[in-house]
Amino acid sequence: MSEYIGDSIFSSNELYRSVMNQLDRACSIAGLDPNVADRLKKPKRALVVSVPVRMDDGSIHTFEGYRVQHNMTLGPGKGGIRYHQDVTLSEVAALATLMTMKCSLVGLPLGGAKGGVRVNPNLLSRAEKQALTRRYTTEISMIIGPDKDIPASDVGTDGQTMAWVMDTFSQIKGYAIPGVVTGKPVDIGGSLGREESTGRGVVFCTEEAAKILKIPMNQQTKVAVQGFGKVGAIAAREIHSLGTKVVAVSDVSGGIYNEKGLDIPACMEWVQKNGVLKGYPNAQAITNEELLELNVEILLPCAMENVITGKNAAKVKARLIAEGANGPITPEGHEILVQKGVVVVPDILANAGGVIVSYFEWVQDIQSFFWQENEVNSRLKTLMVQAFHDVHGTTEKLKTDMRSAALARAMMRLEKAMLLRGLFP
Ligand code: GLU
């Protein structure tokens, strides 16, 4: 707020307020130029589109879609497309801001963007989802492209969705343009290792943090994972394969718990057959809320935002939390956890593996030269481990928590670039 204007149109959204609060905190800790900080609190550009779809029964339903380009100082916009019934323009703006910070933090030559359609994708048939995706892509086609803004998958979208985005954009231009989107199937220019990259990255960070906290990666260490989708299931599988005891996992159908540890590959097989975790044998049913408060050393929230708040943070028992989801902890919740001495590896670091391999995919598409999976994975690990230790170093130097340190680093890189480029006109 300044003397010239009132509150931003986005500020009614909880996640947006939470992200702005995080930026303010990091700015004051890092002593950033207030003009730069102010510019980073507003998205560069936001597009709202209407997406009419002919449903299978012949009726026409018009959905609302968004694409927000938060900042493009370092390169083209980058960020996923979310299909969820609760998506709003303000939520997308908040998530786009986090993408700017994420790309800057891990040193990518990319800016931050995000898109979304306000729809429950589980209620759509395949044909309806395809029609929705093609019309949405058409409506945002003038602002996306391999040099402009490169979407990817997010909550409610997957490789098939990205294939439709790629095809629609290519049909409009008249030739194949794989670099317009990442998270595509490998057969049309996707990268090996992209699908599993976010979950893998979460575990790379968790391992590094656990070393510092002297938490061993063995059966003594109990882990709970919220979310069993693209991020959570892989994170659970990877941390399980390191030898820890994953006692609980959950999805939209609820959670499952076994104090002796769950067989994660068997849970994945169950979900493949049954669609959801619910009903998995050899485990006790728990709620998503109960999972967060279990007696575990490590907690990985890999589902949605705002799940750990001022109301339940005091009941969280984990010593180490790595945010696989974007924004799972509110500022009030974070403050309580930090006071309790819980180490929180923030989203822009913990889940950056996805956008890192998206960057690799984009580079491969532009060069039409594709890498082996072990090259993708080892480059991912190098970047993640480096970013983790850089942030940890800043945490010690600034005597602050990891979230503020990560945001401070991200904003310092952006500040340098923004000051060099100068203010136009
Ligand atoms: N949706 C993912 C995220 O939130 C990936 C974005 C991307 O790869 O562009 O980080």
Side-chain angles (χ1 to χ4, degrees):
M1 251 278 265
S2 77
E3 64 268 37
Y4 298 108
I5 49 160
D7 280 338
S8 154
I9 59 157
F10 303 116
S11 53
S12 59
N13 179 272
E14 188 176 357
L15 183 67
Y16 190 82
R17 283 200 309 272
S18 154
V19 172
M20 293 307 114
N21 174 301
Q22 293 170 17
L23 294 192
D24 280 337
R25 222 178 111 80
C27 277
S28 67
I29 288 168
L32 286 188
D33 179 337
N35 294 321
V36 170
D38 200 41
R39 282 173 65 191
L40 287 173
K41 287 171 71 181
K42 294 174 182 69
K44 174 182 176 65
R45 191 179 281 145
L47 180 62
V48 180
V49 296
S50 90
V51 188
V53 176
R54 194 182 304 281
M55 310 302 277
D56 291 346
D57 65 3
S59 66
I60 293 173
H61 199 104
T62 303
F63 299 92
E64 198 167 278
Y66 320 98
R67 184 76 188 168
V68 177
Q69 296 171 338
H70 172 260
N71 186 284
M72 294 171 156
T73 303
L74 297 169
K78 188 83 195 82
I81 296 170
R82 178 173 290 199
Y83 289 173
H84 192 277
Q85 60 277 14
D86 299 329
V87 162
T88 61
L89 176 63
S90 315
E91 183 196 25
V92 172
L95 293 166
T97 312
L98 288 178
M99 287 310 303
T100 300
M101 299 301 149
K102 203 181 294 189
C103 293
S104 173
L105 175 65
V106 295
L108 307 181
L110 295 168
K114 200 86 177 193
V117 179
R118 197 169 161 82
V119 60
N120 181 346
N122 302 320
L123 301 181
L124 301 180
S125 68
R126 182 185 156 93
E128 289 166 344
K129 200 168 169 183
Q130 176 168 182
L132 175 98
T133 303
R134 289 188 181 280
R135 184 61 189 254
Y136 168 71
T137 305
T138 308
E139 294 298 337
I140 64 163
S141 62
M142 62 295 290
I143 63 163
I144 61 169
D147 311 317
K148 292 186 188 173
D149 176 4
I150 308 124
S153 48
D154 196 76
V155 175
T157 57
D158 56 14
Q160 178 60 72
T161 325
M162 297 307 110
W164 292 326
V165 173
M166 180 266 189
D167 184 68
T168 305
F169 191 79
S170 302
Q171 297 296 348
I172 293 169
K173 300 289 175 185
Y175 56 98
I177 309 177
V180 66
V181 73
T182 61
K184 301 176 294 292
V186 172
D187 311 88
I188 53 166
S191 176
L192 293 166
R194 171 62 185 89
E195 227 172 88
E196 302 180 318
S197 56
T198 315
R200 270 211 182 99
V202 171
V203 176
F204 290 150
C205 280
T206 306
E207 246 186 304
E208 295 307 305
K211 277 184 212 158
I212 292 167
L213 292 171
K214 302 202 164 38
I215 299 174
M217 288 286 131
N218 62 23
Q219 285 293 297
Q220 247 69 66
T221 298
K222 296 191 281 313
V223 183
V225 184
Q226 185 180 64
F228 209 68
K230 293 188 290 277
V231 183
I234 303 301
R237 187 193 72 191
E238 293 295 302
I239 202 157
H240 176 257
S241 75
L242 291 176
T244 60
K245 194 189 278 181
V246 181
V247 293
V249 294
S250 68
D251 63 13
V252 281
S253 71
I256 56 171
Y257 171 73
N258 185 334
E259 59 171 355
K260 295 203 183 77
L262 294 162
D263 178 348
I264 299 300
C267 296
M268 290 174 85
E269 246 172 69
W270 175 268
V271 170
Q272 207 147 47
K273 276 199 205 109
N274 302 282
V276 287
L277 282 166
K278 198 178 172 142
Y280 177 79
N282 316 322
Q284 181 190 328
I286 56 169
T287 64
N288 262 294
E289 293 73 36
E290 285 166 341
L291 178 139
L292 299 169
E293 298 169 15
L294 287 174
N295 192 9
V296 294
E297 281 73 35
I298 300 175
L299 174 63
L300 306 177
C302 300
M304 293 298 282
E305 56 249 33
N306 302 333
V307 292
I308 301 178
T309 66
K311 291 208 179 83
N312 61 356
K315 294 186 221 142
V316 170
K317 298 182 189 64
R319 291 169 59 201
L320 169 59
I321 303 179
E323 296 183 320
N326 290 313
I329 307 179
T330 65
E332 299 76 30
H334 191 254
E335 185 56 33
I336 294 169
L337 295 173
V338 170
Q339 290 306 325
K340 287 207 312 175
V342 179
V343 170
V344 177
V345 185
D347 45 12
I348 62 166
L349 174 60
N351 71 34
V355 76
I356 290 174
V357 177
S358 272
Y359 164 61
F360 296 162
E361 179 175 335
W362 177 67
V363 167
Q364 292 171 75
D365 288 338
I366 288 172
Q367 302 187 336
S368 297
F369 180 75
F370 292 88
W371 313 349
Q372 305 285 334
E373 185 162 2
N374 56 8
E375 185 173 358
V376 172
N377 291 342
S378 79
R379 281 180 187 263
L380 168 66
K381 185 163 188 179
T382 307
L383 276 185
M384 294 283 309
V385 170
Q386 178 70 47
F388 177 89
H389 288 285
D390 288 345
V391 171
H392 184 247
T394 304
T395 305
E396 309 250 284
K397 198 168 125 206
L398 299 180
K399 296 197 179 12
T400 187
D401 56 273
M402 285 195 89
R403 190 189 307 287
S404 298
L407 283 165
R409 286 190 70 86
M411 290 169 93
M412 285 186 301
R413 180 172 172 227
L414 284 156
E415 178 184 44
K416 218 184 265 174
M418 286 164 83
L419 293 175
L420 278 168
R421 283 184 58 168
L423 183 64
F424 176 85

